[in-house]
Amino acid sequence: MATTSHPAISARGKYEPVIGLEVHVQLLTASKMFCSCANRFGDAPNTNVCPVCLGLPGALPVLNSKGVEFAVLAAMALNCRINETSIFARKNYFYPDLPKGYQISQYDKPLAEFGHVNITVGGVTKKIGITRLHLEEDAGKSLHEGFPGASETTAVDLNRSGVPLIEIVSEPDLASPDEAYEYLTRLKEIILYTGVSDCNMEEGSLRCDANISVKPKGQKQFGTKTEVKNVNSFRFVREALEYEIERHIEVIESGGKITQESRLYNSAEGKTYGMRSKEQAHDYRYFPEPDLLPLVVDEKWQSQIRATLPELPEALRARLIADYGITAQDAAVLTISRSLADQFEAAAKAAKNPKRVANLVQSEILGRLKAKNLEIDHSPISMKGVAASADLMESGAISSKMLKDLYDLAFEQNKDFPTIYEEAGRPEQSRDTGALEKIIDEVIAANPKQLEQYRGGKKTVIAFFVGQVMKASKGQANPQMVNDLLAKKLDA
Ligand code: ADP
Ligand code: MG
Ligand code: ZN
C-alpha cells in the first residue's frame, strides 16, 4: 500500500511560525471603570447597571482611580514604561451587548508600553516584548440558547458592561505554540502575584486572542496573520496555534494565499473556523473620548503605586534559592502561587533544616498529590505539616519509613501531618538501646566474615552492618544510633 505523507507535515521544517498574543484581564476593583456599579461576577442578570453602563443618553463617565492604579501596577510588574499622559478613545462598533455603540478604550496614547516577560522553554530563556498595555471597559455578555436558525434566542446581561479591563499586547516574538503557552503561564503568574485580577478563565477574567502567521525559514518579512479569538484555556491556545500553523502551511504549499481574518477555535473538533466576513473588515473610527480628560499618572502617583509592587515570581524564586539552599526545581514548585510560597517560607524559617522541607515536598508530597489529582495548594499536608515532620526526622524521633506511613495516612484521611501524628500517639522510632544492642549483637554474630574484614582495617564494611541492622529492625531504628552503637561494638 502506498503511503502519501501529509504535505503540511513534510513541509513543516521549511517554515517558521510567528505568534503575538493579545490578552484581556479583568481588574478586581469593587466598582466598574466609569460608574459606581458593583464589579461582581455571578449576580442575577442586569442587576448591577446604571444609566452610565447602560449607555443612556446624557449619562457621563467618571474615572475609577483604583482601576488606574491596578493597571499601572500590572504594567510595572510587566516591566513597562508608564506614559504620564494617556488618552481614552472611543472604539466604535455595533453589538447588541454594547449599548453605547462604542467601547471606551485607549488607542494611540496607551497607558504603558515597552514591557517584557521572560520565558524559559527547553532550558533557553527568552525575553518576550510587550508592545502596549492599555485600559478599557468590557462589553456586556450575550447568552445564546436553543438551536441556531430555529429556536435560538439571545439574551443580554449588562452586568459586565463597563467592568475594567487591561489589554496586554505582545510583540510577535513567540516562535512556537509551546512558547505561547509558557508566555501565558508566566504572564498569568505575574498578574496573580500583583493581586489586580483573579485571572479566572472560566469566569472570563482572562481571555486570549492569538495571532499567527508562518514564513519561510530565515525570511525577515512576516507572512499574513490570522487571529484566533477568545480562546478560553492555555491548552486550547496551544492546540489552536498548532492547527493554524498546519493550515497556513498547507494553504501556502498548495499555492494558495492566507486571508487575514478572525477565526474561532472549536476545542471539541480541534479545528478553527473563519468568522463571518462582515465582521472582519473592522473600522472602529477611533477618536478621543470627549467625556473624559486625558489620564495623567504623574511621577508622584507612579512612585506611590510602585511602592505597593510585591516581590514578583522570578525575584522570589532567586531569593528562595539563595536563602534556603533549595534547587531551581524546588523553587519552581514552591512558587506556583504566592500563598504557597508564603507558606513555604514561614515553614522554612521555623524548620531546623529548610532544605529538608523542600526535599520532602519533591519526594513525598508531589507524587501523592498526582495520584489524587490534586494541586499543591490543596495538599492535605500543609507546608507547616511538612516542616513539623521534617523536624521530627531531623531530630531522629521518626524514621523515613515512619514518615512515609504517616504521610500515607494523612492523604488517606485528608488530615494534616500534626493531626495524624497526634492521632497515631506521637510514635517514635526505637531509641531503646537494650533492644537495639541485642539486634546488633545478633547481626555481628551472624556475619563473622564481614567482622573479620572490618577488624582487618576495611572500615567501610560498617555500611553493610548498618543495612543489616536497619533491616532487622524493620526500618524502625534510628540510623544515627545504629551507627554509633555498631562502631562501638565493632571496634571493641
Ligand atoms: P491588528 O491591528 O490586526 O490588531 P496589531 O499590529 O495590533 O494588529 O497586532 C496584534 C497582535 O498581532 C500583536 O500581538 C502582534 O504581535 C501580532 N502580530 C502582528 N503581526 C503579526 C504577524 N504577521 N504574525 C503573527 N502575529 C502578528
Ligand atoms: Mg488586534
Ligand atoms: Zn453602572
Side-chain angles (χ1 to χ4, degrees), residues 390-440:
D391 280 356
L392 287 169
M393 261 187 87
E394 197 71 22
S395 69
I398 61 171
S399 66
S400 78
K401 167 91 173 44
M402 290 165 74
L403 179 135
K404 284 175 204 281
D405 291 345
L406 290 166
Y407 272 32
D408 283 343
L409 276 177
F411 270 76
E412 263 164 43
Q413 302 180 16
N414 197 24
K415 290 174 180 164
D416 204 350
F417 181 85
T419 314
I420 286 293
Y421 181 64
E422 289 301 326
E423 287 179 4
R426 302 174 140 265
E428 287 218 13
Q429 66 181 333
S430 165
R431 295 183 197 241
D432 172 356
T433 51
L436 190 55
E437 274 181 88
K438 194 166 153 266
I439 293 175
I440 289 173

Side-chain angles (χ1 to χ4, degrees), residues 22 167 209 211 225 227 229:
E22 296 165 278
E167 177 171 347
D209 300 337
N211 299 271
K225 74 176 163 82
E227 180 186 29
K229 282 270 189 207

Side-chain angles (χ1 to χ4, degrees), residues 18-22 169-172 211-213 222-223 225 260:
V18 172
I19 299 165
L21 302 179
E22 296 165 278
V169 182
S170 89
E171 289 288 301
N211 299 271
I212 166 87
S213 63
F222 290 170
K225 74 176 163 82
Q260 180 158 347

Side-chain angles (χ1 to χ4, degrees), residues 26 41 141 160 188 198-207 231-234 236:
Q26 257 184 33
F41 182 86
K141 208 156 57 178
R160 206 178 67 179
K188 178 179 166 189
D198 58 20
C199 297
N200 185 330
M201 293 191 82
E202 280 96 64
E203 296 180 0
S205 304
L206 191 156
R207 314 194 280 270
V231 194
N232 64 4
S233 90
F234 294 174
F236 292 161

Side-chain angles (χ1 to χ4, degrees), residues 183-204:
Y183 167 81
L184 289 169
T185 305
R186 298 280 81 90
L187 181 72
K188 178 179 166 189
E189 181 181 69
I190 292 168
I191 300 284
L192 281 175
Y193 268 59
T194 66
V196 305
S197 174
D198 58 20
C199 297
N200 185 330
M201 293 191 82
E202 280 96 64
E203 296 180 0

Side-chain angles (χ1 to χ4, degrees), residues 10-203:
S10 57
R12 176 83 186 245
K14 292 198 280 177
Y15 291 91
E16 294 175 326
V18 172
I19 299 165
L21 302 179
E22 296 165 278
V23 174
H24 286 92
V25 176
Q26 257 184 33
L27 301 177
L28 276 177
T29 52
S31 55
K32 295 187 181 179
M33 197 60 212
F34 301 111
C35 62
S36 56
C37 291
N39 168 19
R40 201 164 43 226
F41 182 86
D43 284 1
N46 300 308
T47 50
N48 300 324
V49 290
C50 74
V52 174
C53 56
L54 286 173
L56 300 187
L60 290 172
V62 177
L63 184 65
N64 178 345
S65 67
K66 200 73 202 169
V68 175
E69 277 171 31
F70 279 3
V72 171
L73 194 65
M76 287 173 168
L78 297 169
N79 307 294
C80 290
R81 202 179 76 193
I82 310 297
N83 290 324
E84 184 162 318
T85 303
S86 60
I87 306 286
F88 287 106
R90 287 189 183 180
K91 182 180 183 180
N92 299 282
Y93 59 101
F94 173 80
Y95 218 75
D97 54 25
L98 188 73
K100 293 198 296 288
Y102 61 84
Q103 183 185 13
I104 303 177
S105 180
Q106 296 186 308
Y107 185 51
D108 50 1
K109 290 233 170 73
L111 177 71
E113 293 172 276
F114 312 113
H116 69 264
V117 167
N118 290 329
I119 64 166
T120 304
V121 174
V124 182
T125 299
K126 187 171 160 183
K127 199 182 252 191
I128 305 302
I130 289 174
T131 316
R132 53 188 278 141
L133 182 153
H134 68 251
L135 257 172
E136 59 185 32
E137 59 176 339
D138 211 343
K141 208 156 57 178
S142 298
L143 305 140
H144 309 279
E145 273 172 34
F147 295 102
S151 63
E152 187 179 37
T153 57
T154 297
V156 173
D157 176 9
L158 293 172
N159 282 349
R160 206 178 67 179
S161 168
V163 159
L165 296 179
I166 47 176
E167 177 171 347
I168 303 157
V169 182
S170 89
E171 289 288 301
D173 288 344
L174 299 156
S176 69
D178 282 347
E179 287 191 7
Y181 185 94
E182 176 68 8
Y183 167 81
L184 289 169
T185 305
R186 298 280 81 90
L187 181 72
K188 178 179 166 189
E189 181 181 69
I190 292 168
I191 300 284
L192 281 175
Y193 268 59
T194 66
V196 305
S197 174
D198 58 20
C199 297
N200 185 330
M201 293 191 82
E202 280 96 64
E203 296 180 0

